[in-house]
Amino acid sequence: MRHAIHSVFKAAAEAVLPPLSTSQFGEKGVLTPSEFIQAGDFLVRTCPTWSWEGGDPKKKRNFLPVDKQYLVTRGVPCTRRASELETYDPNSEFSISGYGDEWVATHSDPHASHDRTEHIPSIDDTGPSQGGKGDDAIPDLSELEIQEEDDEAALPMSELMKTRQDGRNIQAVAYKTAVEPEDTILRTRTYDLYITYDQYYQVPRFWLVGFDESRHPLIPEQVMEDVSEEHARKTITVEPHPNLLLSAASIHPCRHAETMKRLVDNMLENGGSFSVDHYLLLFLKFIASVVPTIQYDYTMSVGH
Amino acid sequence: MDSTSASHFPALKFAPLQSRFDVQFWSELAERKLDRYRLSEEPVPLHGTFSCSRYVEVGSQLCLDGGSFELDHHCSSNSTSSAQAGQHLVKGTGRLYNTWENFRDGSDKAELLKEAAARVWKDILSGETESTPELLSQFTVLCYADLKLFHFNYWFGLPALKPPSPFLTSPSQSLEEYFGTDASKKVAEACDAWLRQSPGHQLVEQPAQGGESTSVCEMAASQLSRTDVNTPHASPFAWMLSYCISQEDATLPQESCTGLPGIMARLACQPLAALNQLSASSDGSTVSDGSTVSNEQWMLAFSDHSSVSGHPGWVLRNLLLMIAVRYPLVKSMKVVCVRASKTGRVDPSRCLVLTVQLPAVPDGWCQGPGEVPEAVGWEPNAEGRLLPRKVDLSPVMSPTLLAEQAV
């Protein structure tokens, strides 16, 4: 409920208040829209998997260029659920160790989301496109099966979807599903990751849109499985995406500015330099601690 | 390569290009079905994009999103997908049925795939696919949307035409193994530059490693008339790579197992239409008439969506068939399957080099009126059967559920 009220307040405030116009990233860790564009351009140049998009024209934000409304990288694999990370230690996250507790706390009620996560059905029983199975509306599906000519040049689907735990593809030779132990087969999800600009908090905001191994969209609750447990219950909220017509899981930006300020200060203390160009690179390193299993590239060096 | 040794080569297998429809696509479809198409079941033009494979774990997919309907307005309006380097366009047709019964019985599925295949075949025979390689892949999607329940049923097909006999291949090598470390880096840089050329996109100069000049990446972008591409998307998914081994370098220590010197004199990426330059040579690789410029080598390069080791992506199938049909003198072709690392840059250790034996295509094969080579390519469902897929988007699209979520 607090969350709903806050959303309304935030929307009202955004409608009335002008976007930030003077640079304050040094003092407060926030960005102006033009600095967001500058940092985004740098990210796109440095790491070509990211690109700008314009999104739904009806949802255009006027303070950003029409073709640079948000950043996106698509089809990023995620082979393990965050809870399976054996070596995961919340205190070892990136360089903000010790600050972790401070920035993750938000207004969302941890107990409420806790209850919800426990009822998440496993991917096996939500499998969407299992044609015909238990679907009353569509009774005679299997009659539809197309008899296509044998195609000796096509690699069977089963060989595409299976990856070994070490991340390497199983060689496409005489693969026997029955003998393969279940735990060496990974269910590789893919993610589209978005970075938008949050006008109210004046920081970038990170969104996760996921797909399961058969490329069916994940519901936001399933996305929680790929967020480190520490954050899943506190910092991730499901909200309408500002540029797209859907609700998606997002890392709530209320503490981003503080965290970014701290990261920049750390870097300066250690004798580095920092320009606003590098803001998003640093931001992505920080995000990597929240979504430890999503394999996007956050290894670019920052601040040299 | 004589025919006896060729027969020992295994048939080349291709990893299908998987379709991926995002929630935006379905919500746009729902809106259009209600407001624009209404009861019309006429085919609508669609498009999707793919990139070369960037991750070891999973191949790149053909993404269809909210902008997939907006092809005609791409250049002028602010639609979803603006010019993007490294993305390749695949066009297709969507049929949006009004009822489940029409979806199920309304059309002959085999006939629909054949229609799509016939378009590709026509463009191959006319030579059009050489100037506009994207025409080699043309998909068909059948949809039935239950807009009350937010259930979407669909069937995706990307036709691959079957050659008279299979493509045979030698065991693959990585680009790095094939050319050696230094030369493969240069090839990767050249491919990167090709992939990232795009109107309005700034080409970024990477600092050359070890002070080498990067000027070898001779760009042929200017040769490519923009009107040919007719979309703001980046470069075509297939291109030709040419290089010379300079005479003076021939004495250098040989770095790779294939005996190529580690340093190449001239390296260029050229539009696919450059294929016509190699019809003079019989194997598509070397012309040896003794002159100084004669040792030019040609390779076919394409943006490979497959991440499977040793197996190139589906989009290569029609491309190879096109070469076999249009350039019957070319008996074998060196193919570079261009793949990137997760930074998005071409990675020489992931790129494959294949030597593909092209089948002999008899004169006039499948060229009679109405004749089309057999086509395959309906996408199986999650269980691997040739059945439609279904997406239930009520959790993200149903207004009632969304209203509950908001509180």
Side-chain angles (χ1 to χ4, degrees):
Chain A
M1 201 56 203
R2 276 175 70 192
H3 178 62
I5 294 169
H6 182 74
S7 301
V8 174
F9 167 71
K10 183 168 170 270
E14 284 183 356
V16 178
L17 300 171
L20 185 66
S21 56
T22 47
S23 173
Q24 296 179 354
F25 81 93
E27 300 82 56
K28 296 184 181 167
V30 294
L31 283 184
T32 65
S34 66
E35 285 171 335
F36 175 65
I37 298 296
Q38 190 185 337
D41 284 343
F42 188 82
L43 176 66
V44 170
R45 282 202 305 272
T46 319
C47 191
T49 47
W50 287 93
S51 54
W52 284 109
E53 276 188 10
D56 189 332
K58 293 186 284 295
K59 298 193 132 196
K60 181 165 71 77
R61 319 298 264 349
N62 285 324
F63 51 84
L64 294 171
V66 284
D67 57 340
K68 292 187 177 178
Q69 295 277 311
Y70 58 87
L71 292 152
V72 61
T73 183
R74 295 185 201 277
V76 182
C78 176
T79 49
R80 293 184 289 181
R81 304 292 77 84
S83 57
E84 296 166 20
L85 269 193
E86 287 167 358
T87 54
Y88 176 64
D89 170 9
N91 296 320
S92 68
E93 285 176 5
F94 188 44
S95 59
I96 45 171
S97 50
Y99 297 112
D101 288 332
E102 286 177 60
W103 76 265
V104 288
T106 72
H107 54 267
S108 61
D109 179 2
H111 299 293
S113 57
H114 178 82
D115 289 341
R116 204 174 43 188
T117 45
E118 293 196 334
H119 293 117
I120 292 176
S122 86
I123 193 80
D124 299 302
D125 40 59
T126 52
S129 35
Q130 267 89 59
K133 235 197 261 171
D135 195 333
D136 299 335
I138 300 165
D140 45 359
L141 204 55
S142 52
E143 288 171 16
L144 274 178
E145 186 154 4
I146 296 175
Q147 296 305 317
E148 207 171 54
E149 173 91 24
D150 274 353
D151 182 18
E152 68 292 332
L155 209 54
M157 285 303 257
S158 56
E159 282 162 22
L160 294 172
M161 281 162 48
K162 286 161 187 158
T163 17
R164 279 195 199 278
Q165 212 103 46
D166 60 6
R168 286 176 42 213
N169 287 102
I170 290 168
Q171 287 291 320
V173 284
Y175 182 83
K176 293 191 189 71
T177 318
V179 225
E180 191 74 13
E182 192 57 35
D183 58 358
T184 67
I185 295 167
L186 295 178
R187 299 190 167 270
T188 305
R189 292 177 171 185
T190 56
Y191 274 91
D192 288 355
L193 307 174
Y194 296 87
I195 304 174
T196 61
Y197 179 75
D198 191 284
Q199 190 193 348
Y200 181 77
Y201 291 103
Q202 301 163 343
V203 288
R205 180 168 187 164
F206 194 80
W207 300 81
L208 302 128
V209 177
F211 298 84
D212 71 16
E213 71 281 359
S214 55
R215 291 157 283 131
H216 183 279
L218 297 175
I219 59 173
E221 284 73 14
Q222 292 172 314
V223 172
M224 297 294 181
E225 298 167 353
D226 293 320
V227 175
S228 81
E229 208 172 329
E230 170 110 10
H231 302 298
R233 300 180 183 166
K234 297 175 187 165
T235 34
I236 305 283
T237 55
V238 176
E239 286 177 56
H241 189 290
N243 295 96
L244 307 173
L245 293 163
L246 75 136
S247 288
S250 160
I251 299 174
H252 201 275
C254 56
R255 294 300 189 94
H256 283 6
E258 271 170 56
T259 313
M260 287 303 294
K261 165 94 176 102
R262 215 173 270 136
L263 292 177
V264 171
D265 287 350
N266 277 354
M267 197 176 267
L268 295 178
E269 273 167 32
N270 295 334
S273 63
F274 187 80
S275 81
V276 76
D277 276 352
H278 296 125
Y279 189 99
L280 286 175
L281 303 187
L282 195 59
F283 178 70
L284 286 176
K285 283 178 193 261
F286 143 58
I287 294 297
S289 67
V290 184
V291 288
T293 52
I294 300 180
Q295 310 276 306
Y296 70 87
D297 180 48
Y298 55 87
T299 57
M300 307 79 86
S301 63
V302 180
H304 300 296
Chain B
M1 214 56 75
D2 63 358
S3 58
T4 47
S5 67
S7 63
H8 298 304
F9 287 153
L12 188 54
K13 285 192 181 184
F14 302 84
L17 177 57
Q18 302 184 318
S19 68
R20 204 202 68 180
F21 294 80
D22 73 9
V23 176
Q24 286 302 291
F25 178 89
W26 299 117
S27 57
E28 182 75 27
L29 180 139
E31 202 178 303
R32 282 169 178 259
K33 188 66 187 161
L34 288 173
D35 300 340
R36 197 177 308 190
Y37 309 136
R38 295 167 189 250
L39 288 177
S40 159
E41 291 189 347
E42 287 300 301
V44 296
L46 294 173
H47 75 275
T49 55
F50 73 97
S51 64
C52 63
S53 162
R54 288 161 173 166
Y55 302 97
V56 182
E57 296 86 353
V58 59
S60 160
Q61 299 156 344
L62 181 68
C63 300
L64 286 97
D65 60 18
S68 290
F69 295 86
E70 290 290 344
L71 195 59
D72 304 337
H73 313 291
H74 245 287
C75 302
S76 51
S77 86
N78 327 318
S79 63
T80 307
S81 325
S82 49
Q84 278 176 25
Q87 296 288 319
H88 309 289
L89 193 72
V90 180
K91 289 189 198 175
T93 319
R95 284 181 170 77
L96 316 181
Y97 294 102
N98 293 323
T99 61
W100 168 255
E101 286 70 25
N102 285 6
F103 175 68
R104 189 186 55 195
D105 310 322
S107 44
D108 182 345
K109 310 289 182 296
E111 200 54 40
L112 286 178
L113 195 72
K114 201 177 163 190
E115 266 175 42
R119 285 194 289 275
V120 175
W121 185 235
K122 190 190 90 199
D123 292 334
I124 285 178
L125 293 180
S126 71
E128 194 114 4
T129 55
E130 283 141 79
S131 52
T132 314
E134 71 180 44
L135 295 173
L136 287 166
S137 306
Q138 301 184 33
F139 63 83
T140 285
V141 190
L142 314 180
C143 306
Y144 164 61
D146 186 330
L147 298 179
K148 280 184 190 145
L149 298 173
F150 301 97
H151 288 179
F152 298 89
N153 301 280
Y154 70 99
W155 220 331
F156 175 85
L158 184 64
L161 309 181
K162 293 177 85 173
S165 61
F167 303 110
L168 305 176
T169 180
S170 60
S172 67
Q173 283 177 293
S174 77
L175 190 63
E176 201 165 29
E177 287 161 353
Y178 187 80
F179 278 124
T181 316
D182 292 342
S184 68
K185 261 189 210 147
K186 289 184 184 176
V187 175
E189 278 168 18
C191 292
D192 245 335
W194 171 267
L195 287 173
R196 300 178 76 189
Q197 57 163 313
S198 157
H201 188 89
Q202 202 188 339
L203 209 81
V204 186
E205 289 303 327
Q206 262 197 308
Q209 306 228 340
E212 286 167 29
S213 160
T214 52
S215 64
V216 285
C217 309
E218 209 180 274
M219 287 305 308
S222 55
Q223 296 177 20
L224 230 177
S225 143
R226 279 293 143 202
T227 50
D228 286 350
V229 186
N230 71 31
T231 77
H233 288 272
S235 34
F237 81 95
W239 64 98
M240 297 299 293
L241 196 67
S242 69
Y243 60 91
C244 291
I245 303 161
S246 67
Q247 299 299 334
E248 58 267 40
D249 289 338
T251 55
L252 286 174
Q254 311 220 322
E255 286 186 29
S256 84
C257 49
T258 52
L260 284 169
I263 298 167
M264 286 174 284
R266 224 158 48 77
L267 177 62
C269 288
Q270 299 195 27
L272 195 59
L275 271 169
N276 58 25
Q277 296 182 38
L278 48 89
S279 53
S281 73
S282 61
D283 64 352
S285 56
T286 316
V287 187
S288 35
D289 60 3
S291 73
T292 48
V293 288
S294 65
N295 56 351
E296 191 162 41
Q297 311 275 318
W298 289 92
M299 292 172 111
L300 173 70
F302 82 107
S303 201
D304 188 7
H305 54 82
S306 159
S307 63
V308 186
S309 49
H311 296 275
W314 195 257
V315 294
L316 179 62
R317 291 184 74 167
N318 290 346
L319 181 58
L320 289 176
L321 179 70
M322 182 274 281
I323 296 172
V325 171
R326 295 272 299 162
Y327 301 95
L329 290 177
V330 179
K331 300 292 181 223
S332 92
M333 192 80 205
K334 290 230 182 322
V335 181
V336 187
C337 309
V338 176
R339 300 176 183 183
S341 67
K342 67 179 178 181
T343 61
R345 295 185 196 284
V346 175
D347 180 353
S349 66
R350 290 199 68 212
C351 294
L352 303 180
V353 179
L354 304 168
T355 306
V356 180
Q357 304 295 321
L358 298 171
V361 177
D363 243 3
W365 178 70
C366 280
Q367 291 184 20
E371 263 189 279
V372 177
E374 267 172 48
V376 287
W378 283 114
E379 184 170 65
N381 69 7
E383 294 165 320
R385 299 175 65 189
L386 290 182
L387 283 171
R389 285 168 173 254
K390 180 178 168 189
V391 189
D392 175 5
L393 288 183
S394 53
V396 283
M397 284 173 75
S398 157
T400 20
L401 284 175
L402 286 186
E404 279 167 22
Q405 235 169 30
V407 182

